[in-house]
Amino acid sequence: MSLREIWSGRRGKRTGAASPTSRSGTGRAGSGPVVQMTGICMDFPGGRALDEVSLTLHAGEVHALMGGNGAGKSTLIKVLTGVHAAADGQIVVDGRSRTFSGPADAESAGVTAAYQETFLCTNLSIGENVMLGHEIRGLLGIDWVRTRQRAGSVLAELGIDDLDPRLPLSGLSPASQQLVSIARAMVSAPRVLVLDEPTSSLEAGETARLFQVLDRLRSQGVAIVFVSHFLEQVYTISDRMTVLRDGRVVGEFLTRQVERAELISTMMGSSLQALQEIGSQRRDHRVEPSDQPWYRAIAVAQQGALEEVDLEIYGGEVVGLAGLRGSGRSTLGRLLSGASRSDSGTVEIGGQAIRLHSPAHGLAHRLAFAGERRRHAGLIEELTVRQNVLLALQAMRGWRTPVARGEVDALLGHLLERLDLDAGAADATVGELSGGNQQKVLLARWLAIRPRLLVLDEPTRSMDVAAKVHVQAQVAALAREGVSVVFISSELDEVVRLSDRIVVLKDREVIGEISNGPGLSVDTIVEMIAADRDEF
Amino acid sequence: MSTTTQQPQRRLLTSLADTIRSFVSGSRLLRLNAAAMPTAAALLIFVVLVTFGQVQYGGIVELGTISSLFINNAYLIILAVGMTFVILTGGIDLSVGSVVALSSVAGVMLANAGVNPWIAVLVMIAIGTVMGLLAGVLVDRFDVQPFIATLATMFLARGLASMLSTTPERLEADSAILGIATRLTIYDGPGVNDLVVPPSVIIAILTVVVAYVVLHRTRTGRTAYALGASEQSARLMGLPVARTRVLVYVISGSLAGLAAVTYTARLGSAQNVTGIGWELNAIAAVVIGGTLLTGGAGYVLGSLIGALVIALMNLLIIRDGSIPPESTTIITGGMLLVFVLLQRLVIARRRKG
């Protein structure tokens, strides 16, 4: 059953006559935009978030919303979906002016959104998450059999019919959860579907599958808003794009008419050159393991997540961990830093075996782990940036040694400057910051303790190009100062650009280790992963 | 013609069949569902406790004992059900004990002043509703933490009860309210071993059943669970967050009023110092029943088991006889702790196995 059939079935019940063709009829025919937002203004305590922003969405088009961190993309889509009320401006849906009182209100007007997977309910089943608020009711309240069937058919339409709606959501990978989130948004058969960074936790194959679904929805006349940092994806899927910068619209293009270079410079100016510079700088400062490694992990493992691994780390070295999501790369990072406890083996620092049972032990040896899910690992959203940075420092020194205010100010000023964060951000709560800036604060938090080993798990996830450049430059700078960095990223080009040595993982095992050099490229690693076969 | 009249019946039948099927498949899922494990553990340990009592002291698995267990604790079951709603959303209601005091003193005084007893009963429940509404509005509209909001209504209700009267208020011996506690003998066993079910017990059981239906078969119930997981997620999903959050306190308050009705009917009198600490008993029942204090996971049936566990522990202490009455709270507390630790152990075993 296709989604359209599900919809028409649903509509048929109400109107008596289903007309499956009416939807595509209103599609590309161009009978006027589905949504027209004009003059949207929005103020936040920190200042103006949106300034006279306009956005026009057409049926049967994928509209990309582009812009750097803090450009106002998230705020704009939250106004469109009724989460925020705009201070000024007009939203016209299907020719009617609307004021949305909340997401439910926007949904009844045909506008729904799939947010990042962290905004699902991990305590409920997959099916319940998909159907929350749309459960099918019979004479005895919710009819769970039909509700589950419906959830199953919506999931099937998205190509994820392998998920049993009855299983708990918490057992799914972030990627699958993201698809569940999209399925949820599709349940009410929206005319406008907003996707906020839908691919940030997906692997290439999963992204391709998502795009097939979007293609189908587009041909059915749904207007799709696609927010993403991945340029190539935007070029693959979108028909039209609106570019935001500092809360203003700085351009609207047809995707096929705009060059990548032009788009990037519209978004943020010239950062591309900086990226190339990092690569060449890293190559100049490449560390050849000379004397003794200061850090040695021997046969560390975690049951069910990672087979035994030996790893040596030298000072000032960047070790990249490459592998697919779920290959054990995050687990290895956690074990190295003490964020997780190893089931076996030992860790030696300077030839001495150390106790590494908890993050506190890791901190005592200045081993830090900056996790992938910043919401869960490392940042407390209710506290200010200053307090978050302070926490790590205080945790290392112990509660008996107070940290002087002046010392914190100096350190914070230094860190903010280093990470290219606004100095005024120090006293903002972390929850108020955009995703990319939160990632920077997480990094600042760990840099504050001046680590000897810093494990970065997806440090550039959901960052724009400019912020990515900045973080990569920071990693390079840290290595120059003698810090050892373990760098984990899904984006292999980052790993190749930064690392001195690359450890390749597959299926919870290390399958090889390569020294970086001129001959090494992303393809080398991809081939290595592809060529490795289990031998029985 | 006949087909049109048969259709509603047919639909009811298929709906019933679906219900049964979903119950069956639900129980099969118990094995898979981690959230159900604490409640399953509670049930297991309750059975162990019953067996222990039967072997050690005797006379536990008897109709008479079971009847009095329910009769004496109908109010606790009702309170625990109300508390489950609040805790599932991640909140807490500290006011229920005081609300019972206020509601029962006011109800008895009204009845004795000649007000129709059934109107008095309705007023008793309504007092709880109003106190719950107050707490709910404080929590939702004014963003007051549930702990503080219900602490405030707790003091308020206790103070109002004391202003009404500081001496025990006796219901007149012929008051119709006493009828709620009439001991209806369903099955006449040998000696005192009868199955006795007064209306108050039926009310308590019905409360559990209705709560189960509301929590598992209505969108409001599912919203309560979603709210317990993450308020922000629930909001972004377009669920009626504000309405649900107020509603759970209204339910808890109203059920405190209902608990006051059953308790007053059994005792025949009311006092302003009634119900001190009952909110903590209710919370203990909910937690023993496997509901997470942080919200989002748990079952109202577990809270019923939790209430019965507390009741049974008190009963066993009395049966033992050698324990000085002054130390019973220590034993209750200690057993609660042991119970929760046992629960953890059972869950840990299941996860490994």
Side-chain angles (χ1 to χ4, degrees):
Chain A
M1 199 171 10
S2 77
L3 263 188
R4 194 194 297 168
E5 279 169 285
I6 297 166
W7 291 336
S8 55
R10 203 176 96 99
R11 305 181 139 206
K13 223 167 61 181
R14 215 180 297 147
T15 58
S19 54
T21 48
S22 66
R23 180 165 288 273
S24 44
T26 59
R28 289 173 181 277
S31 55
V34 184
V35 170
Q36 192 141 31
M37 300 173 83
T38 40
I40 301 290
C41 294
M42 176 89 200
D43 293 305
F44 274 146
R48 178 144 276 207
L50 294 176
D51 191 13
E52 296 278 332
V53 170
S54 298
L55 180 68
T56 308
L57 305 176
H58 299 275
E61 271 190 4
V62 175
H63 194 118
L65 205 52
M66 308 287 292
N69 291 321
K73 304 183 302 281
S74 296
T75 314
L76 182 60
I77 61 174
K78 281 184 173 158
V79 170
L80 174 59
T81 54
V83 177
H84 294 326
D88 198 10
Q90 207 185 16
I91 306 175
V92 177
V93 181
D94 280 330
R96 277 181 59 198
S97 181
R98 299 269 194 171
T99 328
F100 296 141
S101 63
D105 203 19
E107 190 185 298
S108 64
V111 181
T112 64
Y115 296 96
Q116 288 177 30
E117 74 279 359
T118 42
F119 294 112
L120 290 172
C121 296
T122 46
N123 59 333
L124 301 178
S125 72
I126 296 166
E128 282 175 292
N129 268 288
V130 171
M131 298 298 290
L132 259 178
H134 304 101
E135 293 94 344
I136 295 168
R137 289 176 289 196
L139 291 174
L140 296 166
I142 296 171
D143 182 340
W144 283 113
V145 174
R146 279 170 59 207
T147 301
R148 249 183 249 123
Q149 278 170 358
R150 180 80 198 288
S153 53
V154 176
L155 289 169
E157 179 61 22
L158 292 180
I160 36 176
D161 42 352
D162 50 319
L163 297 184
D164 183 345
R166 291 178 300 181
L167 294 179
L169 181 86
S170 51
L172 295 185
S173 67
S176 300
Q177 290 189 18
Q178 178 66 56
L179 291 171
V180 170
S181 165
I182 294 169
R184 178 187 160 68
M186 292 313 301
V187 166
S188 63
R191 307 212 44 208
V192 179
L193 173 66
V194 179
L195 300 171
D196 187 9
E197 302 263 4
T199 55
S200 63
S201 57
L202 302 193
E203 304 281 1
E206 293 158 337
T207 302
R209 193 161 71 168
L210 172 67
F211 283 2
Q212 283 173 7
V213 175
L214 294 188
D215 256 339
R216 202 173 325 159
L217 293 176
R218 167 162 55 190
S219 67
Q220 287 167 2
V222 179
I224 298 167
V225 180
F226 184 79
V227 181
S228 175
H229 287 304
F230 299 107
L231 276 188
E232 289 314 311
Q233 295 182 1
V234 167
Y235 272 96
T236 308
I237 193 73
S238 76
D239 303 297
R240 196 187 287 270
M241 57 175 74
T242 294
V243 183
L244 293 175
R245 194 170 61 208
D246 299 329
R248 292 164 191 270
V249 174
V250 290
E252 196 192 333
F253 312 99
L254 283 175
T255 306
R256 61 176 186 277
Q257 287 176 356
V258 60
E259 291 292 325
R260 283 160 179 73
E262 186 190 348
L263 176 62
I264 291 172
S265 63
T266 313
M267 278 166 66
M268 69 243 343
S270 53
S271 314
L272 221 51
Q273 214 178 348
L275 209 56
Q276 285 153 352
E277 270 170 31
I278 297 172
S280 53
Q281 275 173 18
R282 283 297 298 152
R283 271 187 281 280
D284 294 344
H285 289 88
R286 185 123 356 250
V287 174
E288 285 304 326
S290 46
D291 42 309
Q292 288 294 308
W294 67 275
Y295 180 104
R296 199 193 293 263
I298 302 150
V300 294
Q302 195 170 54
Q303 207 189 346
L306 187 69
E307 299 292 318
E308 289 187 0
V309 173
D310 297 328
L311 189 67
E312 295 177 345
I313 298 173
Y314 298 83
E317 183 189 38
V318 180
V319 179
L321 300 189
L324 299 173
R325 197 171 279 277
S327 60
R329 58 181 200 208
S330 293
T331 308
L332 179 54
R334 299 180 69 88
L335 292 179
L336 292 175
S337 61
S340 293
R341 186 173 173 171
S342 174
D343 292 334
S344 65
T346 49
V347 169
E348 289 177 2
I349 288 181
Q352 299 281 315
I354 61 160
R355 259 166 77 89
L356 194 56
H357 294 170
S358 71
H361 290 150
L363 271 182
H365 294 282
R366 303 227 309 267
L367 313 176
F369 178 83
E372 169 178 20
R373 290 190 168 189
R374 53 184 177 267
R375 247 170 246 286
H376 303 294
L379 285 183
I380 301 170
E381 291 192 16
E382 288 79 13
L383 297 183
T384 64
V385 172
R386 179 196 305 277
Q387 287 161 336
N388 266 293
V389 169
L390 193 57
L391 265 182
L393 205 56
Q394 193 74 66
M396 183 183 64
R397 295 212 188 153
W399 55 271
R400 279 158 303 190
T401 323
V403 183
R405 170 115 191 160
E407 187 189 341
V408 177
D409 282 342
L411 177 69
L412 206 60
H414 169 71
L415 286 173
L416 291 180
E417 193 189 318
R418 189 164 179 174
L419 292 172
D420 196 24
L421 272 165
D422 192 25
D427 291 304
T429 62
V430 169
E432 287 169 1
L433 300 178
S434 69
N437 281 343
Q438 286 183 8
Q439 194 73 53
K440 286 186 186 176
V441 174
L442 184 60
L443 200 53
R445 192 196 145 140
W446 294 119
L447 290 184
I449 66 166
R450 269 173 283 118
R452 281 185 81 186
L453 173 69
L454 179 62
V455 180
L456 297 170
D457 194 359
E458 295 277 16
T460 61
R461 185 183 160 188
S462 61
M463 280 191 170
D464 62 55
V465 178
K468 274 183 184 158
V469 170
H470 209 91
V471 168
Q472 291 179 29
Q474 284 312 313
V475 171
L478 279 172
R480 270 201 304 281
E481 290 163 23
V483 178
S484 305
V485 180
V486 172
F487 190 83
I488 306 172
S489 174
S490 290
E491 292 178 45
L492 286 177
D493 61 322
E494 277 183 12
V495 177
V496 171
R497 188 177 305 125
L498 285 171
S499 308
D500 299 299
R501 192 151 53 97
I502 298 170
V503 176
V504 185
L505 291 102
K506 185 184 182 184
D507 297 338
R508 301 167 191 165
E509 237 179 319
V510 170
I511 58 168
E513 203 180 297
I514 8 173
S515 272
N516 206 344
L520 190 82
S521 71
V522 170
D523 293 336
T524 320
I525 297 171
V526 172
E527 274 162 29
M528 204 168 152
I529 294 175
D532 176 75
R533 294 254 186 279
D534 287 328
E535 288 154 57
F536 286 104
Chain B
M1 268 297 135
S2 63
T3 47
T4 45
T5 50
Q6 273 174 3
Q7 204 129 40
Q9 283 179 340
R10 255 257 205 66
R11 264 173 53 202
L12 184 66
L13 274 179
T14 42
S15 188
L16 263 173
D18 283 349
T19 311
I20 293 163
R21 216 177 307 148
S22 78
F23 266 101
V24 172
S25 63
S27 64
R28 227 187 303 124
L29 273 172
L30 274 184
R31 263 169 282 148
L32 297 171
N33 192 348
M37 276 203 295
T39 304
L43 188 60
L44 181 70
I45 293 166
F46 176 65
V47 171
V48 169
L49 207 56
V50 169
T51 317
F52 167 77
Q54 179 66 27
V55 171
Q56 188 77 13
Y57 308 111
I60 300 294
V61 193
E62 277 181 8
L63 291 177
T65 311
I66 294 168
S67 298
S68 61
L69 204 60
F70 275 91
I71 291 168
N72 295 333
N73 294 286
Y75 78 91
L76 181 61
I77 293 171
I78 297 172
L79 287 180
V81 168
M83 192 66 77
T84 310
F85 277 86
V86 178
I87 291 182
L88 276 178
T89 65
I92 196 98
D93 189 350
L94 298 179
S95 70
V96 292
S98 300
V99 170
V100 168
L102 172 62
S103 171
S104 52
V105 170
V108 172
M109 289 175 82
L110 280 176
N112 288 348
V115 174
N116 179 310
W118 302 118
I119 296 205
V121 163
L122 284 183
V123 170
M124 289 172 82
I125 298 172
I127 287 173
T129 310
V130 170
M131 296 306 290
L133 183 64
L134 180 61
V137 168
L138 282 173
V139 169
D140 189 67
R141 298 291 137 81
F142 296 93
D143 212 13
V144 179
Q145 282 177 356
F147 190 98
I148 301 299
T150 57
L151 193 65
T153 54
M154 172 182 122
F155 284 129
L156 176 64
R158 185 68 67 190
L160 288 175
S162 303
M163 282 169 73
L164 287 177
S165 166
T166 50
T167 53
E169 297 285 329
R170 292 214 140 279
L171 265 181
E172 280 156 20
D174 58 348
S175 174
I177 295 177
L178 293 172
I180 293 172
T182 319
R183 299 182 168 228
L184 305 169
T185 305
I186 304 292
Y187 173 80
D188 199 353
V192 290
N193 196 12
D194 306 335
L195 179 63
V196 182
V197 181
S200 60
V201 171
I202 297 173
I203 290 173
I205 301 296
L206 271 181
T207 308
V208 175
V209 172
V210 171
Y212 178 85
V213 171
V214 170
L215 283 173
H216 294 276
R217 303 215 130 224
T218 68
R219 291 184 180 174
T220 303
R222 301 325 290 166
T223 304
Y225 276 87
L227 202 50
S230 157
E231 186 198 324
Q232 202 184 0
S233 300
R235 216 178 272 285
L236 287 176
M237 286 181 174
L239 301 175
V241 168
R243 197 180 73 200
T244 309
R245 202 154 49 167
V246 174
L247 189 68
V248 293
Y249 289 95
V250 168
I251 289 173
S252 175
S254 305
L255 288 183
L258 188 63
V261 172
T262 62
Y263 186 74
T264 310
R266 181 165 72 84
L267 214 64
S269 71
Q271 209 180 342
N272 65 327
V273 292
T274 304
I276 292 176
W278 284 7
E279 59 280 349
L280 301 180
N281 287 343
I283 293 168
V286 172
V287 171
I288 290 175
T291 299
L292 279 184
L293 259 186
T294 46
Y299 297 90
V300 69
L301 296 177
S303 302
L304 170 66
I305 295 166
L308 291 177
V309 164
I310 293 179
L312 189 60
M313 282 197 305
N314 289 329
L315 182 70
L316 292 182
I317 289 168
I318 295 167
R319 284 281 168 94
D320 187 84
S322 64
I323 300 164
E326 296 80 15
S327 66
T328 50
T329 54
I330 301 178
I331 292 171
T332 316
M335 284 184 74
L336 272 182
L337 192 61
V338 169
F339 185 90
V340 172
L341 290 177
L342 272 177
Q343 215 173 32
R344 289 280 147 80
L345 193 74
V346 171
I347 294 162
R349 278 276 162 81
R350 285 292 294 267
R351 288 225 173 104
K352 268 188 191 164

